[in-house]
Each structure stands twice: as C-alpha cells, then as structure tokens.
Amino acid sequence: VEARIKDIEKKEEFGRSIKQIDELIASGSVQDALAALNKARVTVSDETLVAQANDRQKKIGELLKVEEQKRMFNQLLTEAGKLKTDKKPEKALEKIAEARAIFKDNPDAGRLETELKALVEDKQKNEQYDKLLAAAQLDAKAEKYDDASSKLMDAQILVPARADASKILKEIEPKLDAKKKQLAIEQYNRQREEKFNSALASVGEHLKASKIDEAAAAIKVALDLAPTNEVALGFKKRIDDSLAERDRQTDLQKKNRDFEDLVDSARRIVKAGGNVESAKQKLDEAVKLFPGDQVKLAAIQMVETDIMAQREQSRRKASFEDLLARAGQALASVAQPGAVAATVNYARY
C-alpha cells in the first residue's frame, strides 16, 4: 500500500511539474522549462509519463533551436554593422549572406544588404577613379595631354562628386590646342548626357518592375550628373515616397507580428491554466500597439473573455473545495444537521 501511495504521489508531482513546464514554455522561459523537465525526469519510470516527458523535450528542443537561430542571426547582423563602421563592406556582406541563410526575408538584413552593396559600389568606383587619376598624371608628365584629358574626363563621369580630376584637367587645359579642347569638352558633355539619359531610363524601368532600391541607386547617378533636372527630381520624389511607404508597411508588419505573438502567448497561458495576470499583461501590451483598432480589440476581447472564464472557474473551484471541506467537517462532528446543510449547499453548487 505504501509503495502504491508513493507511486501515486510521484505521478501527481510529475503532473504538477508538467503543468509548470507548459507554463514556462508558454511564457518563453525555455531554459527554465528544460531545467524543470530534467529535474522531473529523475523519478519517472511509467511509460505514459515518459512519453509526456519526451513530448515536452521535443517541444523544448525545437524552441531552443529557434532561439539559437535568432541569437546567431542577431550576432551576424551586429558583426556586419561593426564591419560597416570599420569601412569593410565586402566582409560585412559575407556576414549578411550568412544571416539571410538563416532568415531570408528579414527586412533589417535586406536594408543593410542594400546599403552595403551601395558602399561596395562606391568603393569600387573610387578605386577606379584613383587608378584613372594616377594614369592621367603619368600621361601629363609624359606630355600626352590628349590621353590624360580622356582619362580625367572618364574619372569625372565615374565619380562626379570628386574634384581631383577637374583640378588636374584645368591645369593641362592650356596645353591643349583650341580644337582638341573643344572636342574634348563636347565629348565630355556628350558622355555625361548619355550617362544621364541611361540612368533616367533605368529609373523608369526599375519603377515599372517595382524595384525601388535599384531605382533609388539609378536616380542618384542621374542627379549627380544633373542636380536641377526637373524630370529627375520628379522621379526622386516618387522614389522617396515609395521608400517611405515601404518602411511604413515594414513597421506595420512588425507591429502585426508582435501583436499576434502577444495575443497567442496570452492565449497559450490561459489554455495551459497559467497565470492569468501574466496573460492580461501581454494583452495590455498588445492594445498599446494598435490603440483604437476595433478588429484588433475584438481579437483581444476574445482572449479576455477566456481570462474572465478562467478567473470564474478558479473562484468556483475554490468555493467547491470550501463547501466540500465544510461538509466533511460537519459529517465528522456530532452536529449532523450542519452536515446535511453543507451537503445540500454542495449539491446546489
């Protein structure tokens, strides 16, 4: 009999442990849930209980895997940001590639990747600019002014914002004859115009294909060449509006995900019979994300109804246990009428 009683007590203790583990899982305390499960396993031998423990072990393992993925993703994003700060965009892109292999569609990683690609492109352009500049200086030193002028104009077209090439070009211009100078200027203006028109055409194509980031890169090239062009400025405003709307939608999607996570977490806590105050706190946080949104409030009110039902169930259970105890006490005493009254109250409940 004693052995049977101990076995029942172990099962009851294991049942309480399983309930605690489910609450810890629902609240996101995965490590605590694992520790509680390992502790509960020590005295388990019944096949049914072992199966319950294995089921929780599987759930915890899946959650730990997701947590590890998030930790690794955030670490890679942090490393990429540091490499960006250290002006090492190529290495930062390698980190972003690793991060996107974990969470491919993460908007933060996508934005950082776009920024890094632009930095890499700018770096490559500036490196090519420096090579053209060095070659032009050698040509000028060898009195090959035509070749020097051509390289300097190529450098200007490549990186219009830098003034080094223009400065050297002005120094060698007096040494070019008037005709060659005019031809060089015409060629330079023609090349700038062609590059501007090409960039503007690319903007239109990218906008039609809804490739906003590519359109933004192309309009930057066009405005570098013609900062006051009204068509280019019109495209710039349209692109800026699209980028702002995309950011707004991204933020809205994140808020929706956060809202769903909070409501689902509250729902799981209530379903598992957990701490209703913890569930209520999560619902309060969800309300702050979308104040005044009737659809969202309706979803929250459904869970709040479950919370009220849970509270009523707890109250009724406590009342039931109190009446049952009072009936037992009355039956054990001499006052039999009191026992009958308590039993009648219990039956009515």
Side-chain angles (χ1 to χ4, degrees), residues 52-53 124 158 167 178 216 258 262 272 306 341 347:
Q52 291 182 33
Q124 291 172 346
L158 191 64
K167 182 180 178 181
D258 292 344
L262 287 167
D306 292 340

Side-chain angles (χ1 to χ4, degrees), residues 132-150:
L132 287 167
L133 210 64
Q137 288 172 326
L138 290 174
D139 286 339
K141 194 172 183 178
E143 297 184 355
K144 297 179 180 178
Y145 300 118
D146 289 342
D147 294 338
S149 177
S150 177

Side-chain angles (χ1 to χ4, degrees), residues 5-20:
I5 290 172
K6 288 182 179 179
D7 184 57
I8 291 171
E9 289 175 346
K10 285 181 180 180
K11 288 182 178 180
E12 289 176 346
E13 177 63 26
F14 183 79
R16 288 191 292 272
S17 297
I18 285 295
K19 182 178 178 182
Q20 179 192 15

Side-chain angles (χ1 to χ4, degrees), residues 86-142:
D86 294 341
K87 297 183 179 180
K88 297 177 181 178
E90 295 91 345
K91 292 189 176 295
L93 275 173
E94 293 175 6
K95 297 294 181 182
I96 289 296
E98 292 180 42
R100 299 201 76 177
I102 299 173
F103 295 121
K104 180 181 178 182
D105 298 322
N106 183 273
D108 294 331
R111 282 196 290 268
L112 185 54
E113 184 181 49
T114 299
E115 293 172 9
L116 290 169
K117 285 181 177 179
L119 289 174
V120 169
E121 184 180 357
D122 286 344
K123 183 180 179 182
Q124 291 172 346
K125 285 182 178 180
N126 277 283
E127 288 173 352
Q128 182 62 24
Y129 183 98
D130 291 335
K131 289 179 182 179
L132 287 167
L133 210 64
Q137 288 172 326
L138 290 174
D139 286 339
K141 194 172 183 178

